[in-house]
Amino acid sequence: MFDNPERTNLEQLGEFGLIDHITKAVELKEPSTVKGIGDDAAVLDFSGKKMLVSTDLLLEGIHFDLRYVPLKHLGYKAVQVNLSDIYAMNGIASQITFSIGLSSKFPLEAVEEIYAGALLACQKYGVDLVGGDTSASVQGLVISVTSIGHADGEAVVYRSGAQVGDLICVSGDLGGAYVGLQLLEREKRIFLENPNIQPDLEGKDYIVERQLKPEARKDVVELLARLGIKPTAMIDISDGLASEILHICRASGKGCKLYEDKIPIDPMTYETAREFGIDPTVCALNGGEDYELLFTIRQADYEQVKGQPDISVIGHVTDADGGYELISKSGNVHPITAQGWNAFTSR
Ligand code: ADP
Ligand code: MG
């Protein structure tokens, strides 16, 4: 299960030894970090800005399966998923805390892998790791990340600001992470039936990466700032387009019309979904874990986003009486309902 063949028992180190060991590699670079690891609390200074805080809990067997998720990817993804929430507020993420619960099956080398991934994400996104907590767990691995960010007061974008006539936009492409998950699950089943068969993920790098190594869209927040666009409402796509657009509509007291043919789906996502006999549009609507940004903009901003390869306009906001509608490729009208992930049923 672990790449590093050495196994250093955590009991040899003890809690403080482990904390010292894993936090050795931590560097502080953000000007807003006054004090990081080593006291009872981190100290941050945002001098007059609005502070943003978001937290996530990830449990082995519920949110990830270590039979195909490499630990380094897991550490990386745990951070990305959390930063994504800060970007969804149109904020800049600047710090995280990273907490872990470890059962006895994890040696030091496993923890090192998780941290290598987490610190890589921090480095890439300009975020300091300023604390965390470490505990034994009876069963399985637990990770909790809290991210902290900031924004000028006026810059913060809520889910509730969409207005009638606004254009609905999405970054990147959708459905890939879900199709990647189907692929990994299929290879896991094949492997469990016959351990001599090696996983066949040949040519499927993009969707496997979408699942294992998502990238939060800090670049899109920066792009919108450069274009001088402040979205009227925004959310990140963790549970699928359907669920997220309903969150925006309900928070804003509005309806929506989405056009199926405008939903961006990568060709590999499309083909692989077809191989699995699933509708690619359903993957985009209900798949989840794409960590793209879904946002609404004023019509006046259309000229600015029109030529942007990373932004697709997929519909518009209507008044609440218009309901939540998807216009299919053949022109039929379907009501949008959220399936999303239910954390309390097994997948
Ligand atoms: P406390 O007893 O106050 O909870 P700890 O001994 O748990 O303090 O933590 C000591 C310092 O190490 C704190 O600054 C804490 O934020 C940091 N720390 C503990 N665990 C982790 C971890 N898994 N990752 C990063 N920092 C950690
Ligand atoms: Mg502690």
Side-chain angles (χ1 to χ4, degrees):
M1 171 160 58
F2 309 123
D3 295 344
N4 191 329
E6 285 184 42
R7 285 186 69 90
T8 309
N9 197 320
L10 289 179
E11 278 172 21
Q12 288 167 241
L13 285 132
E15 182 189 336
F16 298 127
L18 175 63
I19 295 172
D20 282 348
H21 187 87
I22 57 186
T23 57
K24 255 192 320 220
V26 170
E27 289 176 60
L28 301 180
K29 294 182 181 157
E30 283 299 298
S32 52
T33 309
V34 178
K35 171 76 190 175
I37 291 164
D39 212 310
D40 296 306
V43 182
L44 311 178
D45 180 1
F46 292 108
S47 30
K49 303 222 164 160
K50 283 235 164 48
M51 186 177 144
L52 308 167
V53 180
S54 179
T55 196
D56 275 314
L57 180 62
L58 300 172
L59 305 176
E60 181 179 350
I62 303 286
H63 301 100
F64 56 88
D65 185 337
L66 289 180
R67 283 173 293 189
Y68 54 74
V69 178
L71 290 164
K72 189 171 176 185
H73 287 71
L74 181 64
Y76 190 88
K77 180 169 174 176
V79 174
Q80 293 296 342
V81 164
N82 211 258
L83 297 182
S84 180
D85 285 317
I86 300 292
Y87 301 134
M89 301 301 289
N90 205 31
I92 301 299
S94 45
Q95 287 84 15
I96 60 162
T97 62
F98 197 94
S99 302
I100 42 175
L102 299 158
S103 66
S104 56
K105 75 178 177 191
F106 295 96
L108 175 64
E109 288 72 19
V111 185
E112 286 174 342
E113 286 288 304
I114 297 169
Y115 266 76
L119 289 175
L120 179 64
C122 287
Q123 193 190 7
K124 224 167 131 182
Y125 283 72
V127 169
D128 287 345
L129 197 157
V130 295
D133 201 16
T134 307
S135 172
S137 122
V138 175
Q139 217 181 20
L141 175 62
V142 179
I143 297 180
S144 176
V145 181
T146 297
S147 57
I148 297 158
H150 54 90
D152 289 330
E154 277 71 68
V156 177
V157 174
Y158 298 91
R159 296 176 179 181
S160 56
Q163 303 296 325
V164 174
D166 283 355
L167 301 174
I168 300 170
C169 304
V170 68
S171 66
D173 56 75
L174 302 179
Y178 177 77
V179 178
L181 180 65
Q182 301 314 304
L183 200 63
L184 289 164
E185 290 277 353
R186 180 184 73 189
E187 295 307 315
K188 179 184 82 182
R189 282 193 300 273
I190 293 173
F191 180 79
L192 290 177
E193 278 159 27
N194 184 350
N196 296 321
I197 301 178
Q198 285 305 302
D200 178 18
L201 302 171
E202 185 74 17
K204 302 288 190 188
D205 309 23
Y206 180 67
I207 51 176
V208 170
E209 281 215 353
R210 292 291 286 169
Q211 169 57 223
L212 293 181
K213 198 169 167 291
E215 299 287 343
R217 298 312 302 259
K218 179 188 185 188
D219 59 332
V220 172
V221 172
E222 290 168 345
L223 171 68
L224 291 171
R226 273 203 306 284
L227 296 174
I229 297 174
K230 185 192 168 193
T232 51
M234 187 150 64
I235 189 167
D236 70 324
I237 303 190
S238 50
D239 294 335
L241 175 61
S243 161
E244 314 302 357
I245 192 63
L246 292 181
H247 280 307
I248 287 187
C249 287
R250 288 181 180 141
S252 302
K254 302 288 184 289
C256 66
K257 248 190 184 59
L258 296 185
Y259 296 88
E260 184 187 11
D261 62 340
K262 305 273 191 237
I263 298 174
I265 296 176
D266 179 84
M268 190 187 294
T269 303
Y270 194 92
E271 281 161 32
T272 314
R274 285 275 179 239
E275 277 168 40
F276 277 101
I278 29 186
D279 182 343
T281 303
V282 172
C283 297
L285 285 171
N286 297 324
E289 293 204 287
D290 287 313
Y291 299 104
E292 295 295 342
L293 292 173
L294 175 70
F295 54 96
T296 54
I297 60 170
R298 282 175 284 269
Q299 283 183 20
D301 290 327
Y302 176 66
E303 286 301 312
Q304 296 287 335
V305 301
K306 197 171 63 176
Q308 297 296 331
D310 250 8
I311 298 179
S312 307
V313 178
I314 59 171
H316 60 266
V317 178
T318 62
D319 65 26
D321 299 340
Y324 319 115
E325 293 183 343
L326 176 75
I327 316 301
S328 76
K329 289 176 184 165
S330 52
N332 295 324
V333 179
H334 299 273
I336 297 171
T337 54
Q339 296 186 344
W341 289 125
N342 187 339
F344 298 100
T345 54
S346 59
R347 305 194 182 152

